[in-house]
Amino acid sequence: MTEAREPGLDDSAAARAGAILTIDLEAIKDNYRRLRQEIRPVTCAAVIKADAYGLGAARVAPVLAKAGARTFFTATLDEAATVQASLEKTRPSADIFVLNGTGAGPVEAFTALGVTPVLNSLGEVETWTTAAGDAGHTLPAALHVDTGMNRLGLPHGELETLIAEPDRLAGIELRYIMSHLACAEEPGHELNGTQLRLFEEARARLPAAPGSLVNSSGIFLGADYHFDLARPGAALFGVNPTPDRPNPMSQVVRLQGRILQVRQIDAPQSVGYGATHRVSGGSRVATVALGYADGFLRSLSNRASAWIGDRRVPVIGRVSMDLITLDVTGVPAGDAHVGGLVDLIGPDQDVDTLAGAAGTIGYEILTSLGARYHRVFLGG
Ligand SMILES: *Cc1c(COP(=O)(O)O)cnc(C)c1O
């Protein structure tokens, strides 16, 4: 039975919502401290783009601030504004960096909010020096140099131009020089060492500034990679940063669905859209109230498992918009009953395992988590 009464859970609201997403804010704090310990004495930032990987930036940012974080990264300017508003009480002096750079919004919005762009090209450098000139004082920024990701950051040619003409940075207070690893979760990948070398070379030739290279997985590549600031995101939220080893992080998310119906099937039949799964006579099928509209990906059809107590039950047939079906033939009727809860993400099946069944990564499972869940926050 999984009908645990979670602290703070409003039963009627939970029942109306159908599925319950419990987010353990204490586990997020533990994870932040665990990562900070790993890189000591280097500073540990927190990347909370995409609404803190789907968990709710306004709730998560103050919790990370309480655990000691003072530097935050978002992707967009709107996200930065949300984070800043949420930190008004706990950390009004937080440093908030916008990864998407000055392209993420008008320069006046950055200066009005007091958030800092990550400059990703010579054009963005120029935009920011112009803004500093207009303001009549220096403006802070991080400078992103590309070392092999080929996504954001100054490409090689632009980096050479900037090194040859450092006056292009006039008026910019260079807070960090940063880059981003493409293969950090594969410790044996040769690109890691290549990017490290290119990053060291770039820093040696640019005006002096603190360095920042690693994401969650990069932290576990060793101290050579740490520089002055680490930028973990996913590991804070329980995703395994070391996929080839046991997960050093605490689980943050529990997802429970509610059983709407249990049906006895007397003769062989198919279940769900497309009749993709057949059950034999004598089977029992439980229908649970969540589906792909909630971020329970359709690619989990016939591939995922759910847990009822300590019993694994397969998801059978297609995941539909609002419903999934489980084969509960082996589960005692007292455990698989209408109104009962089943675990989709929880102690027996972590985010990474569910992601594996969907052919994706934990990041996508988290950032897909839907808006319909009854959300319960533990601790904080
Ligand atoms: C998303 C992102 C991070 C955080 O990556 P995780 O793998 O979630 O730790 C760090 N740096 C940059 C530039 C990013 O885009």
Side-chain angles (χ1 to χ4, degrees), residues 5 110 122 169 204 208 233 267 275 308 349 370:
R5 294 283 180 267
F110 282 91
L122 271 188
L169 289 167
I308 297 178
Q349 173 161 267

Side-chain angles (χ1 to χ4, degrees), residues 17-30:
I20 302 163
L21 183 71
T22 304
I23 297 165
D24 187 343
L25 298 171
E26 295 304 319
I28 295 176
K29 279 188 196 163
D30 288 346

Side-chain angles (χ1 to χ4, degrees), residues 70 87-88 90-96:
R70 12 178 92 248
L87 291 174
E88 226 161 77
T90 34
R91 185 76 79 199
S93 60
D95 273 331
I96 303 170

Side-chain angles (χ1 to χ4, degrees), residues 47 49 53 99 144 151 178 180 215-216 231-235 363:
V47 180
K49 58 196 180 187
Y53 291 58
L99 289 165
H144 184 178
R151 189 181 66 168
M178 60 171 265
H180 190 46
N215 64 344
S216 299
R231 306 186 308 270
Y363 296 65

Side-chain angles (χ1 to χ4, degrees), residues 3-301:
E3 302 220 63
R5 294 283 180 267
E6 300 291 351
L9 186 129
D10 172 342
D11 280 335
S12 68
R16 279 207 308 278
I20 302 163
L21 183 71
T22 304
I23 297 165
D24 187 343
L25 298 171
E26 295 304 319
I28 295 176
K29 279 188 196 163
D30 288 346
N31 287 338
Y32 177 79
R33 296 188 187 114
R34 165 82 183 79
L35 294 169
R36 188 176 54 187
Q37 181 64 23
E38 189 72 26
I39 60 173
R40 237 161 52 110
V42 166
T43 304
C44 194
V47 180
I48 48 175
K49 58 196 180 187
D51 203 22
Y53 291 58
L55 302 187
R59 289 301 292 263
V60 165
V63 164
L64 286 163
K66 277 188 205 159
R70 12 178 92 248
T71 306
F72 298 86
F73 287 82
T74 66
T76 70
L77 197 54
D78 281 344
E79 290 171 358
T82 300
V83 169
Q84 195 182 54
S86 77
L87 291 174
E88 226 161 77
K89 286 206 191 79
T90 34
R91 185 76 79 199
S93 60
D95 273 331
I96 303 170
F97 291 89
V98 177
L99 289 165
N100 288 359
T102 56
V107 291
E108 306 79 51
F110 282 91
T111 49
L113 277 171
V115 301
T116 308
V118 174
L119 304 176
N120 289 306
S121 67
L122 271 188
E124 292 194 3
V125 169
E126 193 181 333
T127 299
W128 205 235
T129 51
T130 304
D134 292 347
H137 55 78
T138 60
L139 289 176
L143 180 72
H144 184 178
V145 298
D146 182 26
T147 53
M149 184 78 168
N150 285 300
R151 189 181 66 168
L152 286 178
L154 272 70
H156 180 73
E158 293 194 4
L159 175 62
E160 289 300 326
T161 302
L162 189 61
I163 288 167
E165 303 167 20
D167 285 353
R168 285 175 181 260
L169 289 167
I172 295 179
E173 179 204 340
L174 207 50
R175 299 288 311 281
Y176 291 100
I177 297 171
M178 60 171 265
S179 193
H180 190 46
L181 296 170
C183 304
E185 73 284 4
E186 295 176 62
H189 201 292
E190 62 176 325
L191 194 48
N192 292 322
T194 303
Q195 289 195 264
L196 175 61
R197 185 172 48 75
L198 290 173
F199 185 58
E200 285 171 333
E201 283 172 15
R203 279 189 74 218
R205 298 171 68 207
L206 283 165
S212 177
L213 180 61
V214 293
N215 64 344
S216 299
S217 294
I219 285 175
F220 296 88
L221 294 176
D224 288 353
Y225 286 80
H226 293 165
F227 296 90
D228 301 294
L229 180 81
R231 306 186 308 270
L236 295 169
F237 310 116
V239 172
N240 187 357
T242 58
D244 55 342
R245 284 181 275 153
N247 191 349
M249 313 318 299
S250 300
Q251 282 307 298
V252 169
V253 165
R254 183 172 189 186
L255 177 60
Q256 295 164 289
R258 194 175 292 282
I259 297 175
L260 295 176
Q261 276 200 357
V262 180
R263 67 186 55 232
Q264 181 78 32
I265 305 225
D266 296 328
Q269 294 272 358
S270 67
V271 178
Y273 284 122
T276 61
H277 182 86
R278 287 188 74 77
V279 291
S280 52
S283 299
R284 277 163 59 243
V285 175
T287 302
V288 173
L290 92 172
Y292 60 75
D294 302 295
F296 197 82
L297 306 177
R298 191 167 175 275
S299 52
L300 291 165
S301 300

